[in-house]
Amino acid sequence: MPLLSNPQAAQVSLEYFPPRDIAAQERLVRSAKRLAALNPSYVSVTFGAGGSTRTGTVDTVQMLNNLGCDVAPHLSCIGASRDDLHAILNDYRSRGIRRLVALRGDLPSGMGGDTGDLHYASELVQFVRQHHGDAFHIEVAAYPEMHPQAESATRDLQHFVDKVQAGADSAITQYFFNPDAYFAFVDQARAKGVSIPITPGIMPITNYTQLARFSSMCGAEIPRWIRLRLQDFGDDKASIRAFGIDVITDLCARLLQNGAPGLHFYTLNHADAVVQICDNLGVPA
Ligand code: FAD
């Protein structure tokens, strides 16, 4: 029994990261082919996250493009010169790329010094619009639970508004497990005049240790009741997975039932959990 009254209307997009070796690449190809059945509106490819290289992003974009996906590379400005950014953007245009996820990014820890020519994502959005007009649909990041380095929630919201005013077309949120955080953020953004779609980023729960590590880095809160249940499961992967699928299915259903424009899944290059969640929701595959 589908959880949504109109599951066909749910827009799904997917995030992948550049694989590090041949085996990981083969896994990504298998996942991307399986997830293509969900008819994603686009797939995105991370840039520089977890130590991956720029070439890794470009190669993965090309590979997914060859599989027929509409691909949106992530582009971060931190540590890059204007010339670097010109070269990357021109390259993407020559490959037929028409969508970007524009980010500030993070310098690898311990690397102080050269933060590049642009300092915030809003400047990158402005740069892309100035030099490439409307050639790219620009996604930006949003933080319902506040960016971990923000001076305050109010300033963080204003900086999000700055990105929209610089020309962003839509936004993807950092993941969260409390739907109220998302709806409160959307309400506050609307009150500031933001009308672009703000799509919730969804992190399937499949591995507690990994989730706890990601969450402490990005500031996403794992609610106490979820954390305690996951801790109780210990090494019982099947129970973690079954519980995680239930929690995330329920989160997605509440988001879509209450007006979220779609779901952007952080796949971590795995298909199973996303397929199962979409199946539970009744999203056609
Ligand atoms: P910004 O919007 O520039 O904000 C960064 C911080 O600066 C915030 O605290 C903000 O409040 C503050 N700020 C903004 N403007 C100003 C200003 N004018 N003055 C003072 N403070 C300001 N990271 C990667 O390395 N690679 C990826 O591929 C990647 N993909 C991501 C995809 C999504 C959907 C999300 C949500 C995050 C992703 N990240 C990725 C993580 C992201 O790079 C980090 O969260 C980074 O710290 C902030 O990037 P941003 O684009 O949100 O930055």
Side-chain angles (χ1 to χ4, degrees):
M1 173 78 163
L3 292 171
L4 302 175
S5 53
N6 187 11
Q8 288 80 3
Q11 290 272 323
V12 170
S13 53
L14 307 166
E15 180 189 286
Y16 297 117
F17 67 85
R20 284 171 191 238
D21 54 38
I22 300 288
Q25 178 163 344
E26 286 168 0
R27 190 167 57 241
L28 169 58
V29 171
R30 280 196 303 277
S31 296
K33 284 184 174 168
R34 242 183 108 199
L35 289 169
L38 295 171
N39 203 12
S41 43
Y42 69 94
V43 302
S44 77
V45 181
T46 64
F47 176 89
S52 64
T53 62
R54 178 172 303 165
T55 320
T57 301
V58 174
D59 290 348
T60 307
V61 165
Q62 194 57 53
M63 188 271 285
L64 291 164
N65 217 347
N66 294 345
L67 290 179
C69 302
D70 185 358
V71 193
H74 295 204
L75 175 60
S76 54
C77 58
I78 202 156
S81 67
R82 285 189 169 78
D83 286 347
D84 293 335
L85 295 168
H86 275 305
I88 297 172
L89 289 163
N90 287 331
D91 179 45
Y92 282 144
R93 273 184 86 171
S94 74
R95 291 168 191 267
I97 298 300
R98 293 291 172 260
R99 188 187 280 259
L100 291 173
V101 182
L103 302 150
R104 182 196 72 176
D106 290 313
L107 278 179
S109 56
M111 234 183 99
D114 185 10
T115 57
D117 288 342
L118 310 181
H119 301 103
Y120 296 107
S122 56
E123 294 172 44
L124 177 59
V125 175
Q126 204 171 28
F127 180 89
V128 176
R129 285 288 177 244
Q130 184 186 350
H131 297 285
H132 295 274
D134 288 332
F136 295 103
H137 177 110
I138 303 178
E139 301 273 352
V140 288
Y143 299 86
E145 296 180 325
M146 203 177 105
H147 183 266
Q149 294 155 1
E151 310 110 296
S152 69
T154 307
R155 300 291 287 271
D156 203 34
L157 176 66
Q158 185 52 51
H159 297 316
F160 172 67
V161 175
D162 294 343
K163 293 193 273 197
V164 177
Q165 288 177 344
D169 296 294
S170 44
I172 308 164
T173 74
Q174 184 55 275
Y175 70 85
F176 55 86
F177 299 108
N178 175 1
D180 291 340
Y182 168 79
F183 290 115
F185 179 83
V186 172
D187 283 351
Q188 287 162 0
R190 299 286 178 250
K192 290 260 184 193
V194 168
S195 58
I196 63 168
I198 302 173
T199 300
I202 304 296
M203 179 67 85
I205 300 176
T206 53
N207 176 327
Y208 175 60
T209 311
Q210 185 187 48
L211 182 72
R213 184 164 47 86
F214 285 170
S215 302
S216 73
M217 287 189 307
C218 74
E221 187 186 29
I222 306 177
R224 183 179 146 82
W225 69 277
I226 296 181
R227 187 165 42 79
L228 293 178
R229 288 290 303 277
L230 290 170
Q231 283 171 352
D232 262 5
F233 291 130
D235 291 336
D236 179 355
K237 290 186 183 147
S239 295
I240 292 175
R241 195 186 128 77
F243 172 72
I245 297 281
D246 280 353
V247 168
I248 300 301
T249 299
D250 184 57
L251 172 68
C252 293
R254 287 163 74 179
L255 290 166
L256 292 172
Q257 279 158 355
N258 289 288
L263 302 168
H264 183 78
F265 284 98
Y266 297 112
T267 69
L268 302 180
N269 294 1
H270 290 284
D272 285 354
V274 178
V275 167
Q276 183 66 59
I277 292 162
C278 288
D279 189 48
N280 291 349
L281 292 166
V283 172

